[in-house]
Structures are given as C-alpha cells and as structure tokens.
Amino acid sequence: MSTHETELMLKGYGLTTAELYYRMPDYRNVLNSFVWQEYDVAPDYPRLFKFIEFWQEKIEGPLHSVRFTHRKMIRPGEWRNVVGEFPIH
C-alpha cells in the first residue's frame, strides 16, 4: 500500500468497487461486464459518478446497470498509535 493510498484512507476515502453491465455495440442482446475500483468518498461518490458520465459520453456500449459496494479500509476505532513492541521470542 502506498503512502498516497494511506493518506486518502485517513481523509475518509474508502475503496469503491463497481461492476458495470453494458450492451455490446454490435450485438445489443449481449451483456458484458466491466469491473472498476477506485478510492472514493461515501455517500456522494464523486469519482464513481464522474466515471459513469465518462462512460456515457465516450464509450459506445450503452450501460444496462451498475452495482457497487464501498468499504472504508481504516475506521476511527481501528486506527491507533503504537509506541512499542513486545517481542515473544
């Protein structure tokens, strides 16, 4: 995990995973899926909606549906400053 990702998580970002189902441009009866992951802020999801807008403007395959989940990687109760170690052996 990079320092940039850790900084985002400490600022309240969580990992958003979206599965986009879209119709193939040449075969409208065929559905295909695309998985997208990015750090985003709930509940507004600005990066997810920006990507969906990009898809609708630039990609030929029209969207059928989008499923997504969001998980904060660091929660306030899970983060603590550790000052020492206790070696066992």
Side-chain angles (χ1 to χ4, degrees):
M1 184 178 307
S2 72
T3 307
H4 175 70
E5 292 173 342
T6 306
E7 289 173 2
L8 285 175
M9 287 187 275
L10 290 173
K11 290 178 183 177
Y13 283 73
L15 188 62
T16 302
T17 304
E19 187 172 16
L20 294 89
Y21 293 95
Y22 63 97
R23 298 193 183 276
M24 298 294 288
D26 296 335
Y27 303 98
R28 297 292 179 160
N29 294 329
V30 177
L31 281 178
N32 205 354
S33 67
F34 179 82
V35 177
W36 175 89
Q37 260 189 341
E38 185 70 47
Y39 286 99
D40 209 351
V41 180
D44 296 330
Y45 304 105
R47 292 183 179 186
L48 173 62
F49 287 117
K50 185 177 178 181
F51 179 74
I52 291 173
E53 288 174 9
F54 166 80
W55 185 288
Q56 291 174 335
E57 293 172 5
K58 305 289 184 185
I59 307 293
E60 289 184 21
L63 286 174
H64 175 270
S65 58
V66 177
R67 293 182 344 167
F68 72 96
T69 184
H70 178 83
R71 169 130 166 97
K72 282 195 168 191
M73 305 303 282
I74 296 177
R75 295 187 181 127
E78 294 176 355
W79 176 257
R80 60 186 176 163
N81 186 18
V82 178
V83 235
E85 285 184 38
F86 297 101
I88 295 174
H89 294 284

